[in-house]
Amino acid sequence: MAAEPQPQQIDERKEEQELKYLEFVQFATLQALMRCAILYSYAKERAGPLKPGVNTVEDAVKTVVAPVYDRFHLVPGELLKYADRKVGELDRHVPSNVKKVSSQARSVVSEVRRDGVSTFAKTVYSKYEPTAEQCAVSAWRKLNQLPLFPQVANAVLPKAAYCTEKYNEVIVSSAEKGYRVSAYLPLVPTEKIAKVFSGN
């Protein structure tokens, strides 16, 4: 009677099967294949009078391709594992600052997968908003030192304020009407902008 594999051995085998560096390639490929399969089935359903011909061609292709697929279907996965191992070997030759950026990019991707794009965007916004405000104020001060810029700004700013006010009103009213797209469109923080730039 064969001994059952230990949980530790199972975990080690699982780790060997998982990709460390090129997991995104596998994920993107699976997503693309799923989208293509959906598109193909949609087109096949709507083939109309061509449907019998499509079925005949599909059966012929399956007959020819099936033996080749059965023999080589594991090759792309093995090639990806090989490339992943090679990337791991190259990892020791990469400078530490590049490794740091790479690990940050991986953590960003995993965070986006886990929490979603909107949560990630809110986190980035809250993290970098003060810096962006400081840069905007600094740029505004520099631009005000240019000749004629203050006069142009005084002519343009009232119209820009009016347009942003109307934009905010449209977003708020569409949200009240229940349009989903309004949830993805941000309001322009006119009061905050006025407060930041009024100090100048």
Side-chain angles (χ1 to χ4, degrees), residues 15 33 36 75 77 82 88 99 124 148 161 169 171 181 189-190 199:
E15 268 185 36
L33 287 173
C36 288
V75 171
Y82 175 77
K99 287 181 185 179
V124 169
L148 296 177
E169 288 174 8
I171 297 301
V181 74
T190 51

Side-chain angles (χ1 to χ4, degrees), residues 21 88 90-106:
Y21 303 98
L90 288 174
D91 191 40
R92 63 180 151 210
H93 301 294
V94 174
S96 61
N97 58 351
V98 174
K99 287 181 185 179
K100 184 179 177 185
V101 170
S102 174
S103 66
Q104 287 173 343
R106 263 192 245 124

Side-chain angles (χ1 to χ4, degrees), residues 16 22 30 42 44-45 56 71 76-78 107 116 122 125 128 133 135 148 155 159 164 174:
E16 287 176 12
L22 300 177
L30 289 173
Y42 178 80
K44 188 176 169 184
E45 285 176 17
T56 305
R71 184 167 179 151
E78 293 302 319
S107 69
K122 289 176 186 174
Y125 177 76
Y128 293 106
E133 281 180 13
C135 290
L148 296 177
K159 190 66 173 174
T164 54
S174 64

Side-chain angles (χ1 to χ4, degrees), residues 76-179:
E78 293 302 319
L79 283 174
L80 195 56
K81 287 177 192 172
Y82 175 77
D84 192 61
R85 284 193 304 271
K86 289 299 176 186
V87 169
E89 291 173 13
L90 288 174
D91 191 40
R92 63 180 151 210
H93 301 294
V94 174
S96 61
N97 58 351
V98 174
K99 287 181 185 179
K100 184 179 177 185
V101 170
S102 174
S103 66
Q104 287 173 343
R106 263 192 245 124
S107 69
V108 165
V109 169
S110 64
E111 187 177 329
V112 168
R113 274 193 197 160
R114 186 184 68 236
D115 299 334
V117 174
S118 62
T119 305
F120 176 73
K122 289 176 186 174
T123 305
V124 169
Y125 177 76
S126 64
K127 185 176 180 181
Y128 293 106
E129 181 188 22
T131 306
E133 281 180 13
Q134 290 172 351
C135 290
V137 168
S138 174
W140 184 256
R141 287 181 183 152
K142 295 280 186 200
L143 287 171
N144 272 329
Q145 293 173 357
L146 296 174
L148 296 177
F149 181 80
Q151 291 84 3
V152 172
N154 287 334
V156 172
L157 282 178
K159 190 66 173 174
Y162 174 78
C163 290
T164 54
E165 194 176 307
K166 288 298 177 190
Y167 167 81
N168 285 345
E169 288 174 8
V170 168
I171 297 301
V172 168
S173 68
S174 64
E176 289 171 352
K177 292 177 184 174
Y179 295 122

